[in-house]
């Protein structure tokens, strides 16, 4: 019963967070991710850079700093988005500036946004030690990240295709 309630809650959370984009159903994408193996149970861990993937956003690169700061390199962006992160029980929460915008959820930044930690971890497809792209040191993105093309430094631990 607990498992069914948790899955129902997560479906609701994703429906609120994701909406529809590019013909990909958020519920279909949620189900795909939820049934994947969690290859990164430590997620998020300070001092690591993670590559996550889902068909709604594409590939995203994020460095987690030891001072609860994070730096997101999002597909199509020319800049790195600085933010803050925290783990709150079974949730992982992010806060980006009020001048930011999430095209999938159609929401502006500024407030904390939380997601089940297990769900977020299951979206991770690769990880690197440290900050190899220098995301914490520059506001400028290393290059414009393509939605459907993973950066070369990462070795994918599972298939990820748009």
């Amino acid at each position: 019963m607990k498992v069914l309630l948790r899955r129902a809650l997560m479906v609701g959370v994703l429906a609120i967070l994701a909406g529809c984009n590019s013909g990909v159903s958020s519920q279909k994408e949620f189900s795909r991710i939820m049934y994947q193996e969690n290859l990164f149970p430590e997620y998020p861990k300070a001092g690591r850079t993670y590559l996550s993937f889902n068909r709604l956003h594409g590939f995203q690169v994020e460095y987690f700093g030891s001072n609860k700061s994070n730096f997101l390199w999002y597909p199509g962006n020319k800049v790195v988005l600085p933010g803050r992160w925290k783990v709150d029980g079974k949730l992982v929460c992010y806060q980006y500036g009020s001048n930011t915008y999430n095209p999938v959820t159609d929401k502006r930044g500024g407030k904390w946004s939380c997601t089940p930690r297990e769900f977020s971890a299951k979206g991770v497809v690769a990880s690197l030690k440290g900050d190899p792209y220098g995301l914490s040191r520059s506001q400028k993105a290393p290059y414009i990240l393509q939605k459907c093309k993973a950066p070369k430094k990462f070795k994918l631990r599972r298939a990820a295709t748009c």
Side-chain angles (χ1 to χ4, degrees):
M1 186 67 164
K2 274 186 173 180
V3 172
L4 289 175
L5 286 173
R6 186 173 22 169
R7 286 197 179 139
L9 174 65
M10 288 183 182
V11 168
V13 167
L14 184 70
I16 291 167
L17 293 175
C20 293
N21 187 11
S22 305
V24 177
S25 157
S26 60
Q27 289 186 353
K28 184 177 179 181
E29 185 63 1
F30 170 81
S31 294
R32 184 189 71 78
I33 292 170
M34 274 313 297
Y35 289 104
Q36 294 181 147
E37 179 185 359
N38 183 354
L39 301 174
F40 299 90
E42 81 287 350
Y43 176 88
K45 185 176 181 182
R48 293 202 70 84
T49 299
Y50 293 94
L51 177 66
S52 62
F53 175 81
N54 71 56
R55 292 180 181 135
L56 300 170
H57 290 284
F59 287 103
Q60 297 179 77
V61 178
E62 191 156 24
Y63 171 68
F64 289 83
S66 59
N67 59 356
K68 297 295 183 181
S69 61
N70 60 311
F71 302 87
L72 176 65
W73 179 15
Y74 189 83
N77 282 5
K78 294 178 183 178
V79 296
V80 173
L81 302 177
R84 298 182 335 163
W85 67 280
K86 66 181 178 181
V87 174
D88 186 5
K90 293 187 177 192
L91 300 174
V92 60
C93 304
Y94 307 91
Q95 183 183 44
Y96 297 99
S98 58
N99 62 335
T100 61
Y101 172 73
N102 184 326
V104 171
T105 64
D106 194 31
K107 301 240 186 240
R108 295 243 166 246
K111 297 180 180 177
W112 284 101
S113 175
C114 301
T115 310
R117 186 176 180 191
E118 177 184 7
F119 177 78
S120 293
K122 287 183 176 188
V124 176
V125 295
S127 173
L128 296 168
K129 288 182 182 178
D131 184 12
Y133 288 99
L135 303 181
S136 66
R137 297 183 300 275
S138 175
Q139 292 182 334
K140 186 177 178 187
Y143 57 88
I144 295 180
L145 185 63
Q146 295 177 29
K147 178 179 179 179
C148 298
K149 187 175 179 182
K152 292 184 179 183
K153 289 183 184 179
F154 288 100
K155 292 186 177 161
L156 299 184
R157 296 208 29 215
R158 87 165 87 267
T161 56
C162 289

